[in-house]
Amino acid sequence: MAVLEHDGRVALVTGASRGIGRAIALRLGKSGARVICVSRSEASASQTVGEIVADGGSADPLVVDVGDMDAVKSACADVLSIYGAVDILVNCAGITRDNLLLRMDDSQWNEVLRTDLDSCFSWTRGLCRAMMQKRWGRIITIASVIALIGNAGQANYSAAKAGAIAFTKSVARELATRGITANAIAPGFIETDMTAALKESIREKILGQIPVNYFGTVDDVATAVEFLASDGARYITGVTLRVDGGMAMC
Ligand code: NAP
């Protein structure tokens, strides 16, 4: 039987219940990793776990609000006591709370910052010591092209995602000599629940800004994660890989 790329490795994927995170969890499960699927709901995390197991892989659900630093700290301690270490961390959970700056209230700002940025800090800090001891690790953070080009109505989201990219670069420098890479992925417009809510007129306008002239799929992002998580990507660290059909080309 062929040895899979991630046989024996443990991956933790936040936001694994839906959309991009679910596709990443399924892909890593297929490549042999034991996948810890994080979501706020037991039922939806367990659904992804069930799909991985049905496909011949192994996975476990973990219910945590990623924006709650104390909860993440205690979840990391539990994970390390059960699995020893996490080899592949994918920070994918994220939300939007769009509003124009003048109308944006404190809770819209704070909710997005804590879910999309604080979470990256909490999980990475909580899990990196064990990775350092193993001298192998992959930290992959799902940012957004909006961090690179900005967007009216998304001051909170663009700030959080740009913070996640800057955070990734600092982590990459700190952990580089320990066999750990840290990279960000900046998806463009990917068809998920997050983007399904947009009006048809807005979707048409966005499509006009995408050189390949179609929206991305969750599998386009999962493919990039699979590559950055591989042994072959050991010399790639601190990058932001755009998966955007050319949308944010400079
Ligand atoms: P989605 O379909 O709305 O899924 C969001 C995921 O995040 C769900 O699994 C949700 O789980 C989880 N989540 C949200 N808040 C959480 C919290 N406080 N604690 C734990 N889990 C939480 O979103 P998506 O489109 O797949 O986006 C995934 C990531 O890609 C996000 O970081 C997003 O910013 C980024 N992104 C998406 C696009 C796009 O076009 N879709 C583009 C660029 C970047 P539960 O609700 O089950 O807890």
Side-chain angles (χ1 to χ4, degrees), residues 15 17-18 20 39-40 64-66 92 143 157 161 188 190 192 195:
S17 61
R18 281 180 281 124
I20 293 171
S39 138
R40 288 165 297 186
V64 193
D65 174 350
V66 299
C92 181
Y157 185 72
K161 294 300 193 182
I190 307 296
T192 68
T195 44

Side-chain angles (χ1 to χ4, degrees), residues 12-17 21 36-39 66 89-94 119 123:
L12 185 144
V13 181
T14 70
S17 61
I36 304 166
C37 298
V38 177
S39 138
V66 299
L89 166 63
V90 184
N91 292 308
C92 181
S119 60
W123 287 105

Side-chain angles (χ1 to χ4, degrees), residues 11-62:
L12 185 144
V13 181
T14 70
S17 61
R18 281 180 281 124
I20 293 171
R22 173 177 162 275
I24 293 167
L26 296 180
R27 188 70 72 89
L28 292 174
K30 210 174 182 56
S31 69
R34 180 171 196 100
V35 189
I36 304 166
C37 298
V38 177
S39 138
R40 288 165 297 186
S41 138
E42 175 86 44
S44 45
S46 296
Q47 191 153 335
T48 305
V49 167
E51 289 178 70
I52 294 172
V53 171
D55 201 26
S58 56
D60 301 295
L62 180 61

Side-chain angles (χ1 to χ4, degrees), residues 9-232:
R9 287 191 175 136
V10 175
L12 185 144
V13 181
T14 70
S17 61
R18 281 180 281 124
I20 293 171
R22 173 177 162 275
I24 293 167
L26 296 180
R27 188 70 72 89
L28 292 174
K30 210 174 182 56
S31 69
R34 180 171 196 100
V35 189
I36 304 166
C37 298
V38 177
S39 138
R40 288 165 297 186
S41 138
E42 175 86 44
S44 45
S46 296
Q47 191 153 335
T48 305
V49 167
E51 289 178 70
I52 294 172
V53 171
D55 201 26
S58 56
D60 301 295
L62 180 61
V63 177
V64 193
D65 174 350
V66 299
D68 178 339
M69 285 191 171
D70 290 335
V72 174
K73 205 180 275 182
S74 103
C76 286
D78 291 346
V79 163
L80 294 176
S81 75
I82 297 167
Y83 304 89
V86 165
D87 305 291
I88 302 163
L89 166 63
V90 184
N91 292 308
C92 181
I95 56 165
T96 50
R97 294 287 181 268
D98 298 353
N99 216 339
L100 292 172
L101 180 61
L102 288 176
R103 293 189 198 143
M104 187 173 287
D105 61 31
D106 293 357
S107 70
Q108 289 172 321
W109 175 268
N110 288 327
E111 261 186 77
V112 169
L113 266 288
R114 80 182 189 96
T115 308
D116 295 37
L117 178 59
D118 293 359
S119 60
C120 300
F121 164 68
S122 309
W123 287 105
T124 306
R125 180 186 59 178
L127 298 175
C128 74
R129 188 187 300 275
M131 263 184 204
M132 287 161 82
Q133 282 159 355
K134 285 185 84 173
R135 298 208 156 252
W136 195 96
R138 297 284 185 265
I139 299 163
I140 300 163
T141 292
I142 308 302
S144 168
V145 289
I146 300 306
L148 311 175
I149 59 178
N151 194 22
Q154 293 198 305
N156 49 1
Y157 185 72
S158 58
K161 294 300 193 182
I165 289 173
F167 170 76
T168 297
K169 290 179 187 174
S170 295
V171 169
R173 286 185 185 277
E174 282 190 35
L175 304 182
T177 59
R178 312 299 182 102
I180 300 169
T181 66
N183 293 294
I185 290 174
F189 190 105
I190 307 296
E191 299 271 19
T192 68
D193 290 353
M194 189 180 265
T195 44
L198 293 173
K199 280 192 269 180
E200 195 49 43
S201 57
I202 299 196
R203 289 168 66 91
E204 284 297 316
K205 205 171 152 203
I206 296 170
L207 192 58
Q209 298 164 14
I210 304 173
V212 299
N213 202 33
Y214 56 87
F215 297 130
T217 68
V218 293
D219 283 324
D220 292 321
V221 183
T223 298
V225 171
E226 187 178 27
F227 166 61
L228 290 174
S230 70
D231 282 314

